[in-house]
Amino acid sequence: MKWLYSLIALVAVQVVSANPTPELAKRASANDVATLGYATLNGGTSGGSGGSQTTVSSLSALTSAVSGSAKKIVFISGTITGNTVVKVGPNTSIIGKSGSSLVGVGLRILDVSNVIVRNVKISKVLADAGDAIAVQNSHQVWIDHVDLSSDRDHDKVRYDGLLDLTHGVTGITVTNSKLYTHWKASLIGHSDNNGAEDTPITVTLASNYWYNLNSRTPSFRFGHGHIFNNVFDNNSDGINTRDGAQLLVENNVWTGTSKPLYSTDGGFAVATGNDFGGASNTAPTGSFTSPPYSYSKLAASAVRSAVVGSAGQTLSF
Ligand SMILES: *[C@@H]1O[C@H](CO)[C@@H](O)[C@H](O)[C@H]1NC(C)=O
Ligand SMILES: *[C@@H]1O[C@H](CO)[C@@H](O)[C@H](O)[C@H]1NC(C)=O
């Protein structure tokens, strides 16, 4: 019998140590390139695909590994803490290994192009350091399977944005990500008087899970935004289309907000196939009906089960 107990023990250990939700562990490669949305245009977004690979587990190693313009893939391992934002060079993929996280450390993608951020978990970046992820004056950026949060135990100025896309960014795709438990989630377009720079903005937001946020889910000024197959739960405000923004809002799902999609200062939206959770869209109808790329979308009724469990840091690297 002893061998049988040993066998049972061995099997039990393997079951316990396996991914608790193996059906959600997605096959992904460090060399993957963007395949959806605006990031696929203008030559596409390949980040560091095909370049050197390094693994970092300290703030100083991360900071130096992601700098410079050579093609590179940088894996984050373990927990890296600090109170700063790390500037990312062009032609870079930053990939979080399973269980890794940045605490108090954000990423700043400034004045560059061709960057991929995948499977990275970032929390509690203080406002005096910056946003969890800020993309400014940059082009061709794919953000996928990131997990961004802080807390709402403090006032709303302790933290700034989770994902701010400003200063004329184009070719941005954000997919399969989780944004939660925070005051001001995502500012797209810098300010009301920044139309000259921000009108070209192009952003695709698909299959993301947004919950327990106060505002900016997102706040979108001036540019074009394609927002589809997202789930929004218990956020005080919904999508705010502003300052002439043209949004195409398709097949998303909301619960727990009285204003899922609304306009201020003349923002527009074309909204189809959404489940507003009993509330209504109050934004005026715009002119953006078809993005300049092909894509497929799930019906709103299929979105929650497809998105909620797989958004965030659920890839295996
Ligand atoms: C990014 O890589 C390409 C080649 O892959 C190179 O031509 C370009 O100079 C790099 N970008 C920067 C800003 O150095
Ligand atoms: C949203 O709020 C409802 C009611 O309080 C709660 O049951 C549910 O768990 C919340 N969902 C999330 C994702 O926070």
Side-chain angles (χ1 to χ4, degrees):
M1 284 303 276
K2 218 168 176 181
W3 64 270
L4 182 58
Y5 290 129
S6 304
L7 182 63
I8 289 168
L10 185 66
V11 169
V13 165
Q14 286 180 341
V15 167
V16 167
S17 63
N19 186 319
T21 51
E23 70 282 7
L24 300 176
K26 296 271 168 47
R27 244 175 222 288
S29 158
N31 290 305
D32 287 346
V33 305
T35 56
L36 179 68
Y38 282 110
T40 64
L41 305 181
N42 300 319
T45 302
S46 57
S49 183
S52 63
Q53 302 196 2
T54 48
T55 299
V56 300
S57 53
S58 71
L59 181 56
S60 59
L62 172 66
T63 304
S64 75
V66 302
S67 70
S69 60
K71 262 193 216 179
K72 56 202 168 297
I73 298 171
V74 178
F75 294 97
I76 298 170
S77 172
T79 300
I80 297 177
T81 57
N83 179 20
T84 189
V85 294
V86 170
K87 195 170 176 310
V88 180
N91 305 323
T92 305
S93 296
I94 305 179
I95 299 177
K97 293 205 169 208
S98 301
S100 68
S101 93
L102 302 180
V103 179
V105 176
L107 299 176
R108 189 163 191 223
I109 299 165
L110 170 67
D111 301 336
V112 297
S113 63
N114 197 27
V115 172
I116 294 174
V117 180
R118 289 187 95 188
N119 217 45
V120 173
K121 180 173 184 177
I122 303 178
S123 63
K124 297 184 192 284
V125 179
L126 296 178
D128 60 13
D131 303 312
I133 296 180
V135 185
Q136 303 174 342
N137 187 35
S138 293
H139 312 284
Q140 308 322 122
V141 177
W142 179 36
I143 295 170
D144 180 57
H145 280 283
V146 300
D147 176 312
L148 308 177
S149 71
S150 65
D151 62 62
R152 292 177 63 179
D153 306 334
H154 303 88
D155 64 26
K156 54 175 87 177
V157 297
R158 179 178 176 88
Y159 307 106
D160 199 348
L162 289 180
L163 178 62
D164 284 9
L165 312 172
T166 58
H167 297 287
V169 292
T170 62
I172 314 296
T173 297
V174 182
T175 43
N176 308 304
S177 292
K178 206 157 98 168
L179 294 86
Y180 58 101
T181 315
H182 189 83
W183 285 98
K184 300 173 286 186
S186 182
L187 179 71
I188 303 178
H190 172 66
S191 65
D192 289 342
N193 58 16
N194 205 45
E197 187 182 30
D198 282 338
T199 297
I201 283 178
T202 49
V203 174
T204 305
L205 303 172
S207 303
N208 303 295
Y209 186 28
W210 312 62
Y211 64 95
N212 193 23
L213 301 162
N214 183 62
S215 63
R216 302 184 182 172
T217 69
S219 158
F220 203 125
R221 291 188 176 100
F222 298 111
H224 281 68
H226 183 204
I227 304 177
F228 71 99
N229 285 169
N230 295 273
V231 176
F232 302 91
D233 283 335
N234 297 346
N235 305 313
S236 304
D237 292 349
I239 297 172
N240 183 193
T241 178
R242 312 168 72 171
D243 294 307
Q246 293 283 351
L247 306 186
L248 175 58
V249 179
E250 304 181 286
N251 299 18
N252 302 282
V253 177
W254 280 263
T255 64
T257 178
S258 59
K259 43 180 197 173
L261 173 56
Y262 66 104
S263 167
T264 50
D265 298 319
F268 299 94
V270 170
T272 63
N274 297 287
D275 176 350
F276 291 114
S280 336
N281 164 29
T282 55
T285 303
S287 58
F288 181 30
T289 54
S290 172
Y293 48 80
S294 61
Y295 64 104
S296 57
K297 60 197 178 203
L298 296 171
S301 57
V303 168
R304 177 173 296 280
S305 61
V307 168
V308 167
S310 66
Q313 191 189 56
T314 60
L315 301 176
S316 302
F317 285 103

